[in-house]
Amino acid sequence: MKVLVTGGLGFIGSETVVALLEAGHEPIVVDNLCNSKIGVIDRIETITGVRIPFIQADCRDKEAMDKIFSSYQIDGVIHFAGLKAVGESVKLPLKYYENNLLSTLVLIQAMEEHGCHNLVFSSSATVYGDPGELPLKETTPLGTTTNPYGETKKMIERILTDYAHVHPEFNIALLRYFNPIGAHPSGLLGEDPRGIPNNLLPYVAQVAIGRRDHLNVFGDDYPTPDGTCIRDYIHVLDLAEGHVATLNKLNENPGLVIYNLGTGKGTSVFEVIKAFEKASGVKVPYVVAPRRSGDVTANYANVDKAEKELHWKAKRSVEDACRDAYNFQKANPEGIA
């Protein structure tokens, strides 16, 4: 399949491009480079031997999107493009609503006009809010989201669901990711945030190589076995392979489908730190800080549906992800050039 990957030079997007190439697909990447680096294209080529077609454009630009669909016979789209920093979304809600919603609306319009009917949407477990019961199933009622970033994901899910109801020719997969971590084992691709990392593992890795003094653990008084928050951490390579499996599912013309992509197992912040220290051989200094507003106590997936319908299962461990993240950070102490 010829697959348009929006935001395809980002953390999850770039790993998915590699997985698509390895599965024999032809990815075309569009990215506005607001939170990614152009050098990722060279690194994808080093790993796969393929120079991917790349268009620097914003998905909100209707003219640019029309031009892409006119230039390539696109069979399906994986939509990663969007702003994703939870804390920033609280401070700049309009920026998040405008960017994330408009980019999706323009994309869907372009797909409809050019006869492309297969879409995989990058959603998030944040749509479940603060869960009343665990593990989370796709049928679990969506909760109250705790930040504008999460609300944009929830709103886009609703838009796509409503759209699918009146466009039965469209096949749309809503993929609810849990917590992607890790890096490509080559050390060439990994999570490379601009500024201070918002996510746990890149922060831990930067502390491990001495780029930052210590890690802040936000709260150790949660009602969990060790007092720290529990999340479902999934290796980014497993997540990327889940996208390839989902594309195969869309070829069956299933209409609208929803899948959790996680491991089905919760891991606490302290357990991640221990796994990282074991994988890297480096002690990670940390300070317990006050809780962050918006953090839920625990969140992990039931992944039975994805295993059954996509024939996909996460197979890499948290320790594998820690080792790969550390190797990426050591090889790229200041990030990707």
Side-chain angles (χ1 to χ4, degrees):
M1 294 174 70
K2 278 192 169 65
V3 185
L4 180 66
V5 185
T6 74
L9 298 189
F11 172 45
I12 306 170
S14 59
E15 299 283 8
T16 300
V17 167
V18 170
L20 288 167
L21 288 166
E22 289 174 345
H25 297 295
E26 298 178 47
I28 298 117
V29 169
V30 58
D31 199 306
N32 68 2
L33 301 178
C34 79
N35 196 32
S36 56
K37 309 276 181 65
I38 191 72
V40 169
I41 296 171
D42 295 331
R43 292 171 177 236
I44 290 171
E45 185 175 11
T46 300
I47 292 168
T48 65
V50 178
R51 189 75 179 178
I52 53 167
F54 170 69
I55 303 98
Q56 183 175 346
D58 195 301
C59 291
R60 294 170 293 177
D61 184 340
K62 182 68 162 60
E63 190 178 329
M65 298 308 291
D66 281 333
K67 188 175 178 183
I68 292 169
F69 279 92
S70 297
S71 302
Y72 300 92
Q73 192 65 44
I74 293 168
D75 301 305
V77 178
I78 302 179
H79 183 33
F80 293 107
L83 300 174
K84 63 173 187 175
V86 169
E88 184 186 58
S89 80
V90 174
K91 295 174 185 171
L92 301 169
L94 283 186
K95 179 180 179 182
Y96 272 68
Y97 287 119
E98 193 272 341
N99 185 293
N100 293 4
L101 294 177
L102 186 55
S103 63
T104 305
L105 293 171
V106 170
L107 175 65
I108 285 287
Q109 289 167 356
M111 290 178 67
E112 182 181 327
E113 289 168 14
H114 293 271
C116 177
H117 298 145
N118 294 310
L119 174 67
V120 178
F121 173 59
S122 165
S123 191
S124 166
T126 57
V127 299
Y128 292 113
D130 196 348
E133 61 179 21
L134 292 167
L136 292 160
K137 298 179 180 179
E138 289 85 353
T139 52
T140 299
L142 301 190
T144 301
T145 52
T146 55
N147 55 74
Y149 159 74
E151 192 65 23
T152 67
K153 294 295 188 185
K154 190 174 170 183
M155 291 171 82
I156 292 167
E157 282 203 12
R158 178 59 190 267
I159 290 167
L160 294 175
T161 300
D162 289 345
Y163 186 82
H165 283 156
V166 293
H167 288 276
E169 74 278 13
F170 261 75
N171 301 299
I172 300 175
L174 309 178
L175 297 187
R176 294 172 180 165
Y177 310 161
F178 281 70
N179 289 64
I181 58 173
H184 196 273
S186 65
L188 290 168
L189 296 175
E191 193 165 4
D192 183 27
R194 294 179 188 270
I196 298 170
N198 288 293
N199 296 333
L200 175 61
L201 209 60
Y203 208 115
V204 171
Q206 289 186 12
V207 170
I209 66 162
R211 188 168 159 185
R212 302 192 184 276
D213 291 338
H214 65 272
L215 171 72
N216 288 315
V217 174
F218 296 106
D220 65 348
D221 57 350
Y222 285 92
T224 61
D226 64 18
T228 62
C229 289
I230 289 172
R231 297 289 181 270
D232 188 338
Y233 294 98
I234 177 172
H235 197 298
V236 68
L237 265 68
D238 283 325
L239 188 59
E241 289 163 6
H243 288 77
V244 178
T246 304
L247 270 183
N248 295 336
K249 177 67 176 179
L250 294 190
N251 282 330
E252 300 173 12
N253 297 317
L256 180 81
V257 288
I258 303 171
Y259 298 105
N260 288 335
L261 293 188
T263 65
K265 179 179 182 295
T267 306
S268 75
V269 174
F270 281 156
E271 286 173 334
V272 171
I273 294 169
K274 287 174 188 167
F276 191 96
E277 290 178 338
K278 185 177 177 185
S280 67
V282 176
K283 193 77 177 165
V284 177
Y286 66 84
V287 171
V288 175
R291 293 186 183 190
R292 287 186 302 197
S293 67
D295 275 347
V296 301
T297 299
N299 185 315
Y300 55 93
N302 177 302
V303 291
D304 292 348
K305 187 180 177 188
E307 287 183 26
K308 181 181 176 184
E309 296 187 14
L310 301 180
H311 311 293
W312 166 89
K313 185 177 182 177
K315 45 186 192 283
R316 298 165 180 90
S317 68
V318 168
E319 196 172 314
D320 292 334
C322 289
R323 183 183 60 250
D324 291 338
Y326 178 60
N327 288 337
F328 169 76
Q329 196 68 67
K330 270 198 309 183
N332 306 272
E334 298 301 322
I336 294 171

